Amino acid sequence: DAKTTQPPSMDCAEGRAANLPCNHSTISGNEYVYWYRQIHSQGPQYIIHGLKNNETNEMASLIITEDRKSSTLILPHATLRDTAVYYCIVRSMDGNTPLVFGKGTRLSVIA
Amino acid sequence: EAGVTQFPSHSVIEKGQTVTLRCDPISGHDNLYWYRRVMGKEIKFLLHFVKESKQDESGMPNNRFLAERTGGTYSTLKVQPAELEDSGVYFCASSRWGYNEQFFGPGTRLTVL
């Protein structure tokens, strides 16, 4: 079962920042936080992952709390193409393990 | 580089028939994973290949499902005989050994009537 809890849905105005929260209170010290998204009718797409420090790439930023029990994915300037289901996943540091998907958050970006 | 490809994109079969799904991973990716989403449920892991070997098949629902990965390249997932509850979208993903990012294919939508 997924070790994460996310709100089922969120709305965001186009051009604004989208902040997607995730709770993972049972995360262990050897587990990363990953974010993937699934745009309608496509396969899931990797966004970002982190251990304990904040991470940023060309797609998003990941903010992990100091106790590592929760995190927030930030899309700085959401566009209509960012409408998707976003999955927060806790996964072993061993990169050779499967992903455990929860229900995710359905983000709707509104014009 | 070319992404993960899956064939067919859609398949409609009748209960009791056999269907074979194919996945071509990104070249050089030793890890290959199969997942599926059945209607209204989360995406679930089915099995994991490392090259041609099955590393983990704990998610395979029953013995009607048979997966192979010939020569550590492409993989097939056969369902025989298909049942109504097998309907869903089957995803394949690949990654380099030791790398965190999995690259997913577009999926095969299977409908069993």
Side-chain angles (χ1 to χ4, degrees):
Chain A
D1 290 347
K3 296 177 64 173
T4 60
T5 305
Q6 300 177 250
S9 64
M10 294 181 64
D11 292 339
C12 177
E14 187 178 22
R16 305 297 293 268
N19 296 281
L20 293 92
C22 179
N23 287 321
H24 32 80
S25 58
T26 62
I27 192 170
S28 61
N30 66 345
E31 290 178 321
Y32 282 109
V33 179
Y34 283 77
W35 285 82
Y36 278 74
R37 72 179 181 183
Q38 186 180 19
I39 296 170
H40 182 62
S41 297
Q42 298 181 21
Q45 176 190 25
Y46 167 83
I47 301 173
I48 198 168
H49 75 279
L51 181 62
K52 56 182 178 180
N53 298 316
N54 298 340
E55 301 287 346
T56 296
N57 63 20
E58 65 278 4
M59 290 183 68
S61 294
L62 173 60
I63 309 298
I64 302 174
T65 58
E66 192 168 340
D67 63 7
R68 302 186 70 238
K69 292 184 177 181
S70 65
S71 61
T72 301
L73 179 74
I74 301 172
L75 307 179
H77 305 286
T79 70
L80 298 178
R81 289 176 295 179
D82 292 321
T83 293
V85 179
Y86 287 77
Y87 297 97
C88 171
I89 298 170
V90 167
R91 183 186 182 209
S92 166
M93 283 184 178
D94 176 356
N96 307 303
T97 56
L99 300 167
V100 180
F101 290 85
K103 299 185 189 314
T105 295
R106 182 173 297 278
L107 175 69
S108 297
V109 180
I110 303 166
Chain B
E1 63 184 358
V4 177
T5 57
Q6 294 187 243
F7 182 83
S9 57
H10 293 84
S11 180
V12 181
I13 61 172
E14 295 192 350
K15 176 182 172 181
Q17 290 186 322
T18 297
V19 63
T20 300
L21 314 181
R22 172 169 171 147
C23 168
D24 286 78
I26 294 172
S27 177
H29 284 195
D30 289 338
N31 289 315
L32 188 150
Y33 304 85
W34 283 97
Y35 299 84
R36 75 171 179 178
R37 165 184 268 145
V38 296
M39 183 70 74
K41 302 288 188 180
E42 296 92 71
I43 299 171
K44 292 290 189 185
F45 164 73
L46 295 178
L47 87 157
H48 171 205
F49 283 100
V50 177
K51 296 184 180 179
E52 69 276 7
S53 299
K54 292 177 185 175
Q55 180 78 8
D56 179 357
E57 49 185 332
S58 61
M60 294 288 263
N62 52 61
N63 60 9
R64 296 185 294 103
F65 289 75
L66 175 64
E68 295 180 328
R69 188 177 183 193
T70 306
T73 56
Y74 71 91
S75 175
T76 57
L77 180 63
K78 179 189 290 188
V79 185
Q80 179 181 30
E83 298 289 344
L84 300 179
E85 64 265 24
D86 301 331
S87 294
V89 182
Y90 289 76
F91 294 104
C92 173
S94 72
S95 70
R96 292 188 185 277
W97 177 258
Y99 279 63
N100 294 294
E101 181 178 355
Q102 290 185 19
F103 295 84
F104 281 77
T108 293
R109 180 173 295 279
L110 174 64
T111 302
V112 182
L113 302 175

